[in-house]
Amino acid sequence: MINLFKMDSYRFTRNKIMYLLLLLFCAFQIFGIYMMKQYAQPVEEGGVQIGNLTEIDFIQYTISQPPSWMLIYIAVFTIYFYMSEWNSGFHKNYISMRQARIHSVFSKMAILALFVAMLFLTLLIADGIGRRMFFDQTDMGEPGTLITLLASQFLLHWAFSLLVLCIAMMTKNLLISLSAGFVLALNVIGMVLGALENQFTGTHLTQYLLINTLVRVKDLGSTADLIHTFGVAVAAILILSYLAVRYKIREDLN
C-alpha cells in the first residue's frame, strides 16, 4: 500500500496536467467574478447583490450554477490520472496480486482526495483575489459555517471523483469516460429524472442523487439539511469505494 501510494504520489506531484488544471481553474474563476461584476444582477427577490454575499453564500451560488466547472476539472484529472497508468501498462507489474489491486484503488482514492482539496484551496484563493479586485468584498462569513460548507462540499466532490474513477476503470476508454464525466457534470441525468419524477410521481427521491445534492443550495443551519448532505456524501463514498474495489479484484488481466 505504501509503495503504491508513493508511486501515485510521485506521478501526482510531477503531473503537469494537474498544475495546468489548477492554474486554469484559478484564472477562469477570477474571470468569472469579473464577468459577474460586469453583468451583476440580483440573485434573490430581496435584491441581494452578488458583491454583498459572504464567501459562504458566494461558494454556494457559484457551485449551484450549471455547468459545475469544478466537476469538469475533477472529471478530466481523474480520467487522465487513471488512464495514464493504464495506457502505460504499469498496472501489469502488480495486477496479479489481489492485495495490490485493492491497495491501488485506495491509493488513487487518496490522490483524488488530495486533488479535490487543492481545488477547493484554489477556489478560496481565486475568490479572495477576484472578490477583492472587483467587488471590494472579502467577508468570509462565520468560520464554523464556512468549515461545515467546505467539509460537506469536499466530501460530495470527492464522491463525484470516485464515480468518475469507477467509470474510467470499467470502460478503459478516454472518450467514453470524458463524455460520461461531462454529462454528469452538467447534471443532465439528474434534471431529466427530476422532471420525470415531478411529472409522473410527485415524489422527491431525486434530491438524494449525488449531483443533485451537490448543486443544491443548502441551509447550513438546518440539522435535516446537514444530515441529508453528509449522509448522501458518505453513502456515495462507501458504495463507490466498494464497487471500485470489487471490480478491480475481478478485473481480467490484459
Side-chain angles (χ1 to χ4, degrees), residues 33-53:
I33 295 173
Y34 167 75
M35 295 304 294
M36 289 179 188
K37 174 65 175 180
Q38 299 303 306
Y39 302 99
Q41 297 291 335
V43 297
E44 295 179 353
E45 284 188 353
V48 177
Q49 296 291 326
I50 294 176
N52 295 330
L53 297 176

Side-chain angles (χ1 to χ4, degrees), residues 105-136:
V105 174
F106 288 142
S107 174
K108 287 171 180 57
M109 288 173 56
I111 294 297
L112 292 177
L114 180 58
F115 177 74
V116 172
M118 293 175 66
L119 199 63
F120 270 96
L121 178 60
T122 303
L123 173 69
L124 291 176
I125 294 173
D127 283 355
I129 295 173
R131 294 173 68 232
R132 179 63 180 175
M133 289 175 59
F134 305 118
F135 289 107
D136 196 27

Side-chain angles (χ1 to χ4, degrees), residues 99 127 144 166 179 192 234 236:
Q99 288 299 316
D127 283 355
C166 286
S179 299
V192 170
V234 172

Side-chain angles (χ1 to χ4, degrees), residues 152-171:
S152 62
Q153 286 295 346
F154 167 79
L155 291 176
L156 289 168
H157 284 74
W158 185 30
F160 173 79
S161 73
L162 300 184
L163 175 59
V164 176
L165 177 63
C166 286
I167 294 173
M169 289 173 59
M170 294 175 185
T171 63

Side-chain angles (χ1 to χ4, degrees), residues 4-18:
L4 284 172
F5 181 71
K6 286 181 178 179
M7 178 199 71
D8 283 336
S9 298
Y10 180 87
R11 291 199 300 125
F12 178 75
T13 56
R14 285 159 179 76
N15 192 320
K16 296 179 181 179
I17 294 295
M18 181 267 292

